[in-house]
Amino acid sequence: MASVTRASLDQKLAMAKRCSHEGVLAGAKAAVIATVATAIPTLASVKMLPWARSNIDLRAQAVIISTAAGLAYFVVADKTVLASARKNSFEAAARRGNN
């Protein structure tokens, strides 16, 4: 069984921090895009459609928009972190195979 060194643990920790940072950035970008993409039709429908005007108040509009933004953030952040971890594990396996 291979021994775990302090340097390898530090390297893994740095890689995990980089992966999570990439996920946060990608999730934030997706949340901004989802906010705009959801806010425009929501606000337009409330202005133009009589049913929406009478049934969708400000709180409901905020819930619709924030739900879409939160969902986009978590889905994209999760996919980004998993893709980065998968890429790093394949690279680590290739390095172990070459040594």
Side-chain angles (χ1 to χ4, degrees), residues 12-25 77 80-88:
K12 288 180 182 180
L13 180 63
M15 190 177 302
K17 284 182 180 180
R18 184 177 51 81
C19 290
S20 63
H21 183 69
E22 289 174 7
V24 167
L25 289 179
T80 303
V81 168
L82 289 175
S84 182
R86 186 178 304 114
K87 182 185 77 160
N88 290 333

Side-chain angles (χ1 to χ4, degrees), residues 8-88:
S8 69
L9 288 176
D10 288 342
Q11 182 181 13
K12 288 180 182 180
L13 180 63
M15 190 177 302
K17 284 182 180 180
R18 184 177 51 81
C19 290
S20 63
H21 183 69
E22 289 174 7
V24 167
L25 289 179
K29 289 177 186 177
V32 168
I33 292 169
T35 299
V36 172
T38 308
I40 292 171
T42 301
L43 297 175
S45 66
V46 169
K47 295 286 184 191
M48 293 185 221
L49 301 173
W51 178 88
R53 186 179 301 125
S54 63
N55 290 317
I56 302 177
D57 62 352
L58 292 175
R59 186 177 303 139
Q61 293 172 34
V63 167
I64 291 167
I65 295 167
S66 63
T67 300
L71 180 70
Y73 175 83
F74 285 111
V75 167
V76 172
D78 186 48
K79 283 185 159 215
T80 303
V81 168
L82 289 175
S84 182
R86 186 178 304 114
K87 182 185 77 160
N88 290 333

Side-chain angles (χ1 to χ4, degrees), residues 92-99:
R95 282 193 305 263
R96 282 192 301 263
N98 291 337
N99 289 338

